[in-house]
């Protein structure tokens, strides 16, 4: 064992009559551990919220949207889908239509986004079918005989919150009113309207989706909006959601102008940017706890230097260099930081594991969309927290160690 390491570890042990200094050392270790534990738990919660939010968003939307610039839709969707599926990393693709309409019943009305979809292929690119809460088996048939979900052309699927707002349930009639494409009647121009029967109710867990989305078949949408065989765009699923941007660029290159590819990060850029900024802000704020603990390390080492003045003088007089004296106290400070980091990491990981397993901290699911505080520990977050803490602990040792190294052995021994 190196001389500096041996002496530095010995100085961590309290001698008789030095219980106060030992208590200060334990407080420094506890401060570091508390800061590390708080950082781990908070970042794990933030990561958990981000993961759950991303899963809910991608449960409704695919990884990529392929559309055409301007008002024209994709006129040959089958051929375009075949070309898209040839691109590497593409798992599945499905056509869709997208229109803003108003839904009305005898009890209420509201503006929604009406999407036409091919339910058979849509279940390969999104998790919509997994969120079905209520189903009318006569109009929305589940998987059977190797076939997927099938929606009746006269049926409509709406969100739970939207059904509550409209005061309608399964089997109820809903009028779809389009503000575009007015129809000429004997009484003048009237909005285009068609009646559908509620065939299913989904519950995504996000109010903005559950209250503002409705689904019908593509054939019904094409007929209602007089689109012919064209569709608004294509939904594409890739094998790695974080490669969606580069896969979209490749699809756009192969299809050429006027096709445009938009990935899920572009569609929700503001939301995920806000979450990332909030996570960074929480990391910076909670690092202040570790910074306070680092100041405790500084004060602890200064007291150690004052208490060990005579011993430093003796060590220098028998040949110890200033570098060795500096390393002794640096070892002591780094060990305090290392022990605190290990204890804090263990404590934070244990709290996260308990919350993940037993869901100790519960939430009101109707308010927060989750039944418990979500937890997701990332290895990168743990590494960042541990390395930041150790760096701060090391920096905290520099000034006290430098002061100890500059101590004159003659002055240090004179008054002992």
């Amino acid at each position: 064992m190196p001389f500096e390491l041996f002496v530095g570890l010995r100085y961590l042990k309290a001698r008789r009559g030095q219980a106060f200094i030992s208590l200060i050392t334990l407080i420094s270790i506890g401060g570091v551990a508390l800061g590390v534990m708080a950082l781990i738990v908070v970042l794990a919660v933030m990561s958990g919220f981000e993961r759950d939010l991303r899963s809910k968003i991608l449960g409704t939307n695919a990884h990529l949207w392929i559309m055409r610039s301007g008002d024209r839709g994709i006129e040959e969707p089958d051929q375009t889908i075949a070309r898209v599926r040839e691109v590497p990393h593409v798992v599945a693709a499905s056509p869709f239509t997208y229109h803003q309409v108003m839904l009305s019943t005898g009890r209420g009305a509201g503006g929604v986004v009406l999407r036409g979809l091919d339910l058979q292929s849509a279940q390969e690119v999104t998790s919509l079918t997994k969120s079905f809460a209520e189903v009318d088996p006569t109009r929305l048939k589940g998987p059977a005989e190797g076939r997927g979900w099938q929606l009746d052309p006269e049926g409509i699927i709406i969100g739970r919150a939207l059904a509550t707002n409209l005061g309608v349930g399964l089997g109820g009639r809903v009028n779809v009113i389009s503000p575009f494409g007015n129809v000429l009647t004997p009484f003048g121009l009237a909005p285009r309207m068609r009646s559908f029967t509620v065939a299913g109710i989904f519950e995504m867990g996000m109010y903005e989706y559950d209250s503002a989305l409705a689904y019908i078949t593509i054939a019904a949408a094409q007929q209602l909006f007089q689109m012919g065989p064209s569709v608004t765009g294509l939904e594409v699923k890739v094998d790695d959601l974080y490669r969606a941007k580069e896969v979209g660029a490749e699809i756009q290159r192969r299809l050429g102008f006027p096709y445009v590819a938009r990935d899920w990060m572009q569609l929700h850029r503001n939301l995920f940017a806000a979450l990332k900024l909030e996570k960074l802000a929480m990391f910076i704020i909670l690092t202040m706890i570790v910074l306070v603990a680092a100041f405790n390390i500084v004060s602890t080492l200064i007291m150690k230097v004052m208490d060990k003045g005579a011993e430093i003088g003796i060590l220098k007089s028998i040949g110890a260099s200033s570098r060795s004296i500096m390393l002794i106290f640096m070892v002591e400070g780094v060990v305090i930081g290392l022990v605190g980091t290990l204890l804090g990491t263990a404590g934070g990981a244990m709290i996260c594991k308990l919350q993940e397993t037993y869901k100790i901290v519960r939430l009101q699911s109707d308010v927060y969309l989750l039944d418990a505080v979500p937890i997701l520990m990332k290895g990168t977050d743990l590494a960042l927290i541990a390395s930041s803490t150790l760096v701060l602990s090391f920096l905290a040792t520099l000034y006290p160690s430098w002061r100890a190294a500059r101590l004159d052995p003659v002055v240090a021994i004179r008054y002992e």
Side-chain angles (χ1 to χ4, degrees):
M1 181 181 296
F3 159 71
E4 295 85 358
L5 179 61
F6 174 77
V7 177
L9 294 176
R10 286 291 300 270
Y11 278 178
L12 285 172
K13 299 179 182 179
R15 296 184 305 176
R16 188 176 303 173
Q18 292 182 332
F20 178 73
I21 294 179
S22 177
L23 177 62
I24 295 298
T25 302
L26 292 177
I27 291 174
S28 299
I29 294 175
V32 174
L34 182 63
V36 170
M37 186 169 61
L39 271 170
I40 289 175
V41 173
V42 170
L43 292 188
V45 170
M46 295 293 296
S47 298
F49 271 112
E50 182 180 358
R51 175 200 58 194
D52 286 7
L53 182 61
R54 183 173 59 245
S55 66
K56 292 180 184 299
I57 289 175
L58 294 181
T60 304
N61 298 313
H63 298 157
L64 281 168
W65 278 21
I66 310 299
M67 304 175 71
R68 291 188 63 173
S69 300
D71 297 332
R72 295 179 60 187
I74 299 177
E75 298 173 350
E76 298 178 344
D78 293 337
Q79 291 85 336
T80 308
I81 287 176
R83 294 178 62 187
V84 168
R85 285 177 173 170
E86 295 175 355
V87 177
H89 306 293
V90 171
V91 176
S94 176
F96 72 92
T97 63
Y98 185 98
H99 294 90
Q100 291 183 335
V101 300
M102 185 175 74
L103 297 188
S104 68
T105 63
R107 297 184 179 180
V112 302
V113 171
L114 182 66
R115 294 177 61 177
L117 52 82
D118 174 22
L119 202 55
Q120 183 106 14
S121 59
Q123 61 190 347
E124 299 177 3
V125 294
T126 67
S127 303
L128 174 64
T129 56
K130 297 180 180 179
S131 64
F132 288 163
E134 297 181 33
V135 173
D136 181 354
T138 62
R139 296 187 179 275
L140 182 58
K141 299 178 182 179
E145 300 179 357
R147 303 185 66 180
W149 289 86
Q150 292 182 309
L151 176 62
D152 187 271
E154 299 298 322
I156 186 172
I157 305 170
I158 61 177
R160 172 77 72 186
L162 180 59
T164 302
N165 295 338
L166 296 177
V168 68
L170 289 180
R173 300 293 289 179
V174 174
N175 296 318
V176 175
I177 305 171
S178 172
F180 305 102
N182 294 336
V183 180
L184 182 62
T185 68
F187 302 99
L189 292 176
R192 188 174 299 277
M193 184 174 66
R194 181 173 172 180
S195 182
F196 290 87
T197 302
V198 177
I201 295 176
F202 66 86
E203 191 169 8
M204 289 288 180
M206 289 188 67
Y207 183 80
E208 65 174 293
Y209 289 155
D210 292 341
S211 64
L213 277 180
Y215 297 90
I216 59 177
T217 63
I218 279 189
Q222 289 171 336
Q223 182 181 7
L224 176 61
F225 299 104
Q226 296 181 335
M227 300 177 64
S230 65
V231 297
T232 303
L234 306 178
E235 291 183 299
V236 180
K237 182 179 181 180
V238 297
D239 55 6
D240 184 357
L241 62 94
Y242 294 105
R243 304 183 70 168
K245 185 175 182 179
E246 61 182 78
V247 175
E250 177 62 18
I251 292 175
Q252 187 170 327
R253 186 189 68 80
R254 293 195 182 192
L255 296 180
F257 182 82
Y259 289 92
V260 177
R262 301 185 66 188
D263 61 84
W264 64 274
M265 289 180 283
Q266 289 177 313
L267 293 171
H268 304 280
R269 182 192 305 273
N270 293 338
L271 179 60
F272 286 104
L275 285 174
K276 186 176 181 180
L277 179 61
E278 186 176 357
K279 186 176 180 181
L280 177 62
M282 294 300 295
F283 175 79
I284 294 174
I285 292 171
L286 292 175
T287 302
M288 299 299 176
I289 300 177
V290 180
L291 192 59
V292 171
F295 279 106
N296 286 339
I297 295 176
V298 173
S299 61
T300 300
L301 292 181
I302 289 177
M303 293 182 68
K304 286 278 188 179
V305 170
M306 295 174 62
D307 181 68
K308 305 293 185 181
E311 297 180 16
I312 293 172
I314 294 173
L315 288 173
K316 278 197 167 186
S317 65
I318 60 176
S321 64
S322 297
R323 178 178 176 275
S324 295
I325 300 300
M326 190 172 181
L327 288 175
I328 288 172
F329 289 94
M330 289 176 69
V331 164
E332 189 171 354
V334 169
V335 168
I336 291 174
L338 180 61
V339 173
T341 301
L342 293 176
L343 291 177
T345 302
M350 183 177 65
I351 291 174
C352 292
K353 189 64 177 178
L354 289 174
Q355 173 62 22
E356 187 177 12
T357 304
Y358 300 105
K359 302 190 182 303
I360 299 172
V361 182
R362 295 279 180 175
L363 297 175
Q364 293 181 332
S365 57
D366 57 337
V367 176
Y368 297 100
L369 311 177
L370 301 169
D371 60 351
V373 173
I375 293 292
L376 176 62
M377 286 189 295
K378 293 183 177 180
T380 53
D381 289 343
L382 294 178
L384 178 62
I385 292 169
S387 58
S388 301
T389 304
L390 292 177
V391 168
L392 288 176
S393 300
F394 171 75
L395 294 177
T397 66
L398 295 180
Y399 177 73
S401 302
W402 177 72
R403 293 286 301 188
R406 290 191 61 195
L407 196 62
D408 188 348
V410 175
V411 176
I413 299 174
R414 179 183 300 173
Y415 300 105
E416 295 296 329

